Amino acid sequence: MNKRTSHGRWVTFPSGGDQVRGYLAEPEGDDVLGAVVCAPENLGVTEHRQEETRRLAAEGFIVLTVDPYSRIGGRPPQDYTTAEERRSKAFIAARDEVVVPDCQAALDWLRTQPRVGRVGALGYCLGGGTVLAWAAGTRELACSVVLYALPVVPAAYAPDGRDRSRIALAPRIQAPMQLHFGEADEAIPLAQTLALKEALEARSPAPISFHVYAGARHAYMDSTLERYSPEAAALTYERFVDFLHRHLDREA
């Protein structure tokens, strides 16, 4: 498919009793398109994530990246002294109890907009876990894409101080899911990645496509980081764009 021109803007939509925000990117034209709710990394909706939102929209999707930190000023908590404390506070602030309902609210809002057909989900790192949890609890997604989500959220990253396993969600995934992980991920033990793969392929009633990239580190898609892997990133992007087109390029 030929790329289109896309443009982005901030929007707000209701979630529970709050107004939350997201970064919406739309391609040119007036035809009905597949839409994607995106859940970002623990850094939130950075300029890089906004650029990537517009990039995906140029592929022919309406894309809404949800700000998981809408209620605290649009940034993850800044009162930390170590990198580990930063990640812990970011994950707790963007816990499933908050962001999964916000993603569902984003889907509901998208369905009130012109041109929106089928809706899928895409999540990176923290947001990948959000999408796993969301996909396990809804039948409204046409498909989902998960990038290097933590298969087991460690106790220090959870509000109740207890490990949270995404592996146990496998039997509840109802729609096609594509997953991408780096083999050399420093943040995710390879054994956890392979346990998630085994559980999804054996226990999910939905079609599962699982990819592990040799030599790729954590967040290998992010071109602003030294961990960026151009080859793995390009192949991942090609694969998930094709996957999204296959499952979203039909009117709901």
Side-chain angles (χ1 to χ4, degrees):
M1 176 177 291
N2 293 329
K3 289 196 176 187
R4 308 179 183 209
T5 300
S6 70
H7 59 276
R9 59 189 173 96
W10 288 100
V11 298
T12 59
F13 51 90
S15 180
D18 299 318
Q19 289 288 318
V20 298
R21 71 172 191 165
Y23 187 78
L24 178 72
E26 300 179 82
E28 63 184 357
D30 55 8
D31 47 336
V32 173
L33 298 170
V36 180
V37 175
C38 181
E41 307 89 339
N42 64 53
L43 294 174
V45 190
T46 60
E47 288 188 9
H48 172 69
R49 182 52 46 214
Q50 293 171 44
E51 291 170 3
E52 290 297 296
T53 301
R54 295 192 299 270
R55 178 189 181 196
L56 185 57
E59 301 286 354
F61 304 105
I62 296 169
V63 188
L64 177 55
T65 297
V66 176
D67 181 357
Y69 306 113
S70 290
R71 295 169 182 81
I72 58 172
R75 298 175 69 197
Q78 300 296 301
D79 57 334
Y80 59 84
T81 56
T82 66
E84 183 63 13
E85 185 183 14
R86 183 197 69 76
R87 287 188 291 269
S88 173
K89 290 190 172 185
F91 269 75
I92 291 170
R95 58 198 177 274
D96 291 348
E97 294 88 342
V98 173
V99 187
V100 168
D102 287 353
C103 287
Q104 181 63 46
L107 182 152
D108 294 339
W109 182 84
L110 278 170
R111 285 185 169 159
T112 69
Q113 305 303 303
R115 300 204 293 153
V116 171
R118 292 176 178 264
V119 182
L122 167 66
Y124 296 79
C125 185
L126 166 69
T130 302
V131 167
L132 261 173
W134 183 25
T138 185
R139 293 179 178 269
E140 295 188 59
L141 290 170
C143 65
S144 58
V145 177
V146 171
L147 292 99
Y148 32 83
L150 293 176
V152 179
V153 179
Y157 292 13
D160 57 3
R162 301 167 62 182
D163 289 349
R164 293 188 173 192
S165 175
R166 308 297 194 193
I167 299 169
L169 300 176
R172 296 166 51 193
I173 304 300
Q174 300 294 318
M177 177 176 283
Q178 186 183 78
L179 302 97
H180 304 268
F181 287 81
E183 185 182 46
D185 194 313
E186 311 91 327
I188 303 174
L190 184 59
Q192 287 189 16
T193 297
L194 298 178
L196 178 62
K197 179 178 187 292
E198 180 180 3
L200 285 167
E201 292 177 347
R203 301 172 62 196
S204 172
I208 300 294
S209 174
F210 205 110
H211 303 279
V212 180
Y213 299 87
R217 299 169 63 190
H218 191 66
Y220 66 84
M221 289 285 292
D222 190 338
S223 61
T224 70
L225 302 176
E226 55 87 19
R227 300 191 302 272
Y228 176 58
S229 174
E231 297 82 5
L235 183 53
T236 299
Y237 186 77
E238 178 184 344
R239 282 172 166 163
F240 77 61
V241 168
D242 176 71
F243 176 83
L244 291 170
H245 276 305
R246 282 189 281 117
H247 293 287
L248 301 181
D249 284 358
R250 300 186 297 276
E251 292 189 27

